[in-house]
Amino acid sequence: MRRETSFFNFSISKIISSDQPVLDQARIRLLYYGFWIVFVAVAGLLLSVYFQHQEILTITATIALISVVVLFKYLTYRPQWRQISHIALVLATLLNLINVYITLQTVDIITVQIILLTIVFSFYMLGQGWGLFYSLLNLVPVLLFLVLEYNDSYYIPLRVEKVDQSTVIISLFANFNIIIFIHSHFYNAFFNNIKQLKETGEAQQKLNADLEAAMQKAEKSSLIKSEFLSVMSHEIRTPLNAVIGMTNVMIMGNPRPDQKENLSVLKFSANNLLAIVNDVLDFNKIEAGKLIFESVKFNLVDLLQNICGSHMIKAEEKGLAFHLKIDPCLQDRVLFGDPTRITQILFNLVSNAIKFTKTGSVWVKAYCHEDRHNNITVTFTVKDTGIGIEKNNLESIFEPFTQESITTTRKYGGTGLGLAIVKRLLELQGLHMNVISKIGEGSEFSFNMEFPVSTEKLDGAGDGKQLSNENDGLSNLRMLIAEDNPVNVLLMRKLLSKWSISPTIAENGERAIELVMYGNFDIILMDLQMPVMNGFDAAIEIRKLADPKKAHIPIIALTAAALFDIKEEVFNAGMNDYVAKPFKPEELIEKIQYLVAPVH
Ligand code: ADP
C-alpha cells in the first residue's frame, strides 16, 4: 500500500511498507541507494571532466547529475518505482548513445559496462518484456555504430579529443560498483522471497493440518452428540414404554370414573413426553444426514383420513370445526412416495393448527395442482383461524428450538422442533413451505409435492388389512415373546391377558430359537435389543430352520428405536412387521390378527 509522504521527505522508511511484496520493497531500496551511488560517481566524474575542460562531457555529466537528483527527489516524494525506472533507463540509453555517436564516437569498456548495467537494471526492475526492450534499445544502435565505424564511414566533429585516464578509472570503478550492488541486492531479495514463500507454505500447511484436526474434532463431537441423543432417547423410551403400557392396561381394566380421568392425564403427559423424545431423535437423525426417503405405494386419501382421524377428535374436544377436503382426482389413485414422512409433516402442521386455535375452524386440504397422467403434483394446505404469527417471526419459527415467544412456551408447551423437522423434511426433497398468517386471524401453511402415479387402481376393498374387531380366535394363540426386560414382560402379559393370550417368554434370542425348535408357536414378538443374541440374529436363525412351518412363523419386531432406520433392517432379517415401543394395544393386536389370519 503506497503511503502519502510530504515533499520534503528523504527517508526510505516512509516510502516502503512491509505489506508490499518483498521484491517491490527491494526495487524501491535499489533505486534509493542506487541513486546515492550514482550521484557520488557522477559527481566525481563531473569534477574530473570539469577540471580537464571537457565541455561536452561536463554538460553531459551535469545533466546526468541533475537527473539523478530530480529522480531521487521524485522517488522519496512518490515512490512510483516503475515510472522512475523507465525514466532512468531512457536517460541511460540516451547517455549511452550520445557517448557512442557524439562525444566519444567509440565503443570502449565503459560503453560495454553501461549496456550491461541497463540490461541488468531493466530486467530486475521491469521484468522480461521491458528488459528485452531496453537491452535491444541499447545494444542494436551500438552494434550498428560498430558496423559504421568498421567501414570508416562515421565521424562527426563534436568528438572529444581525448578522455583522461582518471575519468576512465572513475567510470569503470563506479559502473562495476553499481553492477555488483544491483546483483547482490537482488540476490538477497530473491533469497528472502523464496524464504518467505517457504515460510508461508509451511504456515499454510500447519493451518491446513490444524483445520483438519479441528474438523475431525467437530465431526467426532457431532457424532458423539448424535449417539448420546440416540442412546438417551432409547433409555428414556424404555421406561416410558412401561408407563404408557401400564396406563393402557389400567384404562382397559374398567377403572372408576375418577381414576379414569387421572389415567387419561397420565396417558396424555406420557404421550407428550414421548412426542418430545421422538422429535429430538428425529431431528438428530435428519441433522446427521441419516434420513433416507422411501418410495412405496400408498393411497393419499387413506393416509389423510388416518392422519386427520385422531386430530378430528382433538378438534372436537376443543369445540373447533375440522374440515378435511380431498380432491376427487386423488380417489382410487395409487401413488409412490414416503407415507411416513408425509404423515410426519402433516401431523405436525395439523397439531399446531389445533394447538394454536381457540375458536373457529381447521382445514386440511389436498388438491391436484397438476395432473399429468403418470405424475401428479398435490398442493397440501393446513389452515386455521388461530392466534396467527407475526410477520417478523415467519422465518424464525422454522428454526430448531424456536417458538414465537416465551409466552408460547408457557401457554402451549412444545419444544419448537416440529416446524424445524417439517422444514428439513421438505428441503431434503427440494420442496418449500409457504406461510400466510395474520395475527388474530389465523395461519395457512402450504406446500406442493410431486408423486409418480402407479398404473394400478385401488379396488375399494382396501389393502386387505381390513380387520375384524373381534378378539375371538386369539385366545388359543400360541405366542412366543422374546424379551429380556422383566417390566416389559409383565406389561405384555397384562396386556395380552385382555385377549386371553398367555405367551411363552424367552429371555434372549438364543432361548427363543430353542423354544421354536422344540415347541409349537403361531407368532413371535421379538425384542431387538437382547443379551446373548439380539432379535435380528434370532430372526435370521429361525428363518433358516429345516421345518418349513417353523421357518415361516410370523415374527413381529418390538423396537424401542424410532421408526426412521429400523424398518429396512427388520425386513432384511426376515421379520414380517414391527411395532415401535411404547405400542398402542390396538395396533399390536391388529398386526397380530393380520399375520395369523387364515389367508396368510
Ligand atoms: P412447537 O409446536 O413445539 O412450539 P413448532 O416448531 O411446531 O414448535 O412451532 C414453532 C412455533 O411456531 C410455535 O411455538 C408457534 O409459536 C408458531 N406456530 C406454529 N404453527 C402455528 C399456527 N398454526 N398458528 C400460530 N402459531 C404457530
Side-chain angles (χ1 to χ4, degrees):
M1 187 121 342
R2 215 174 60 220
R3 286 182 278 170
E4 292 292 305
T5 44
S6 92
F7 182 76
F8 296 103
N9 170 55
F10 286 98
S11 150
I12 186 159
S13 61
K14 293 233 169 75
I15 53 171
I16 245 174
S17 73
S18 56
D19 51 15
Q20 282 169 317
V22 173
L23 281 183
D24 289 356
Q25 288 180 39
R27 286 178 171 122
I28 294 174
R29 233 179 271 120
L30 177 92
L31 283 177
Y32 185 88
Y33 294 112
F35 279 138
W36 277 108
I37 298 174
V38 176
F39 178 81
V40 174
V42 176
L45 267 179
L46 179 62
L47 287 177
S48 162
V49 290
Y50 175 75
F51 287 117
Q52 289 162 39
H53 307 289
Q54 298 275 15
E55 253 175 56
I56 298 178
L57 286 179
T58 307
I59 294 168
T60 319
T62 310
I63 292 171
L65 196 69
I66 293 170
S67 305
V68 169
V69 172
V70 170
L71 286 177
F72 180 79
K73 183 60 244 146
Y74 186 34
L75 177 77
T76 52
Y77 175 53
R78 293 283 177 262
Q80 292 169 354
W81 53 267
R82 264 198 200 88
Q83 248 182 44
I84 294 171
S85 303
H86 278 295
I87 299 170
L89 279 163
V90 169
L91 288 174
T93 309
L94 278 176
L95 181 80
N96 186 26
L97 298 186
I98 288 170
N99 273 346
V100 171
Y101 279 91
I102 300 169
T103 33
L104 304 177
Q105 292 182 30
T106 178
V107 174
D108 58 5
I109 182 143
I110 292 170
T111 319
V112 175
Q113 275 187 329
I114 292 178
I115 293 173
L116 269 179
L117 250 173
T118 46
I119 291 173
V120 170
F121 184 79
S122 59
F123 270 96
Y124 281 161
M125 292 302 291
L126 298 171
Q128 195 183 30
W130 285 112
L132 270 175
F133 173 76
Y134 285 110
S135 302
L136 294 178
L137 198 64
N138 277 276
L139 197 60
V140 173
V142 172
L143 290 177
L144 191 72
F145 174 83
L146 286 175
V147 174
L148 292 174
E149 200 194 25
Y150 185 72
N151 296 333
D152 275 341
S153 58
Y154 190 86
Y155 174 77
I156 47 174
L158 285 168
R159 186 162 78 178
V160 176
E161 274 313 308
K162 188 177 176 294
V163 180
D164 189 78
Q165 190 62 14
S166 65
T167 314
V168 175
I169 293 171
I170 293 172
S171 302
L172 271 177
F173 184 71
N175 285 345
F176 273 128
N177 258 341
I178 296 168
I179 292 173
I180 292 168
F181 171 70
I182 293 177
H183 272 303
S184 75
H185 186 81
F186 264 93
Y187 174 79
N188 244 341
F190 285 135
F191 185 76
N192 284 340
N193 199 24
I194 290 165
K195 209 168 111 192
Q196 202 187 40
L197 282 178
K198 206 173 143 220
E199 277 167 12
T200 321
E202 278 167 6
Q204 194 86 34
Q205 256 177 3
K206 193 176 170 296
L207 210 67
N208 281 347
D210 287 353
L211 195 70
E212 201 157 304
M215 268 170 70
Q216 271 175 3
K217 210 170 145 191
E219 266 166 29
K220 204 171 150 198
S221 67
S222 152
L223 205 74
I224 291 172
K225 181 204 86 180
S226 148
E227 268 167 18
F228 170 76
L229 280 173
S230 294
V231 170
M232 275 309 288
S233 67
H234 178 261
E235 295 304 312
I236 294 170
R237 283 170 65 104
T238 308
L240 208 54
N241 172 27
V243 173
I244 294 176
M246 281 298 177
T247 316
N248 280 332
V249 170
M250 283 156 90
I251 289 174
M252 286 162 79
N254 292 330
R256 294 194 314 264
D258 61 318
Q259 285 175 327
K260 200 172 175 186
E261 204 173 297
N262 291 348
L263 284 172
S264 26
V265 173
L266 180 61
K267 188 177 172 182
F268 176 80
S269 307
N271 274 328
N272 245 356
L273 182 56
L274 182 67
I276 293 171
V277 172
N278 281 345
D279 268 0
V280 171
L281 199 65
D282 283 355
F283 187 74
N284 187 35
K285 287 246 168 70
I286 295 173
E287 290 292 279
K290 283 191 188 160
L291 189 70
I292 300 161
F293 289 91
E294 60 176 10
S295 179
V296 295
K297 285 182 201 167
F298 73 103
N299 176 257
L300 193 56
V301 179
D302 286 349
L303 189 75
L304 285 166
Q305 274 165 352
N306 275 339
I307 298 169
C308 294
S310 56
H311 282 113
M312 276 174 183
I313 302 167
K314 247 189 227 166
E316 226 167 75
E317 282 169 5
K318 274 187 91 173
L320 302 173
F322 193 100
H323 311 278
L324 171 61
K325 292 194 169 163
I326 305 173
D327 198 321
C329 87
L330 292 166
Q331 213 75 39
D332 306 335
R333 300 284 274 279
V334 177
L335 311 180
F336 286 97
D338 192 332
T340 319
R341 241 49 78 191
I342 298 169
T343 306
Q344 213 170 358
I345 295 169
L346 290 173
F347 200 92
N348 266 308
L349 294 179
V350 182
S351 299
N352 278 347
I354 296 174
K355 187 158 95 174
F356 296 107
T357 306
K358 229 177 179 177
T359 53
S361 317
V362 170
W363 290 266
V364 178
K365 293 186 241 173
Y367 74 90
C368 295
H369 182 71
E370 234 180 315
D371 190 351
R372 290 172 303 273
H373 194 60
N374 56 355
N375 216 306
I376 194 166
T377 304
V378 180
T379 303
F380 294 92
T381 312
V382 178
K383 196 176 158 199
D384 63 58
T385 54
I387 57 170
I389 304 156
E390 236 178 83
K391 210 172 167 210
N392 293 344
N393 294 332
L394 284 179
E395 297 243 325
S396 66
I397 54 166
F398 289 99
E399 294 301 316
F401 304 106
T402 309
Q403 298 190 309
E404 240 212 302
S405 69
I406 295 288
T407 358
T408 315
T409 326
R410 266 207 309 268
K411 228 166 144 184
Y412 301 96
T415 52
L417 268 181
L419 288 182
I421 292 174
V422 166
K423 186 183 174 202
R424 277 162 178 74
L425 284 176
L426 288 178
E427 274 174 359
L428 286 173
Q429 300 174 84
L431 304 175
H432 176 73
M433 172 77 77
N434 300 305
V435 195
I436 309 169
S437 189
K438 212 163 181 195
I439 286 283
E441 287 186 17
S443 316
E444 183 181 311
F445 290 76
S446 63
F447 61 94
N448 287 347
M449 196 180 268
E450 202 179 316
F451 301 96
V453 182
S454 163
T455 43
E456 282 174 49
K457 283 266 173 206
L458 226 56
D459 56 8
D463 52 5
K465 289 197 181 182
Q466 221 65 18
L467 301 161
S468 77
N469 284 328
E470 291 171 17
N471 298 327
D472 288 353
L474 286 184
S475 53
N476 295 326
L477 199 70
R478 291 163 300 178
M479 180 186 283
L480 173 67
I481 300 180
E483 169 69 82
D484 63 311
N485 184 329
V487 179
N488 285 346
V489 170
L490 179 71
L491 179 68
M492 298 292 286
R493 277 195 194 282
K494 287 210 167 199
L495 184 73
L496 292 166
S497 70
K498 303 285 162 202
W499 286 277
S500 313
I501 302 171
S502 4
T504 307
I505 309 295
E507 61 278 10
N508 61 52
E510 213 171 76
R511 181 87 183 114
I513 300 171
E514 256 173 47
L515 286 170
V516 173
M517 276 163 70
Y518 302 114
N520 284 314
F521 295 99
D522 300 312
I523 191 158
I524 303 172
L525 303 189
M526 182 78 82
D527 183 33
L528 293 179
Q529 277 109 358
M530 285 184 292
V532 187
M533 183 188 267
N534 69 32
F536 295 109
D537 294 340
I540 293 169
E541 290 306 316
I542 290 170
R543 293 289 177 245
K544 284 188 203 159
L545 290 178
D547 183 342
K549 216 172 144 222
K550 290 185 177 180
H552 289 104
I553 298 177
I555 306 177
I556 298 179
L558 304 174
T559 154
L563 291 182
F564 267 159
D565 46 6
I566 213 82
K567 220 168 170 178
E568 208 171 322
E569 278 180 69
V570 164
F571 292 129
N572 284 346
M575 289 183 259
N576 303 69
D577 210 337
Y578 61 86
V579 285
K581 290 192 259 180
F583 42 75
K584 299 183 184 91
E586 314 80 51
E587 185 195 355
L588 179 65
I589 285 303
E590 270 184 14
K591 291 198 169 179
I592 293 172
Q593 276 183 322
Y594 174 65
L595 286 171
V596 298
V599 273
H600 287 274

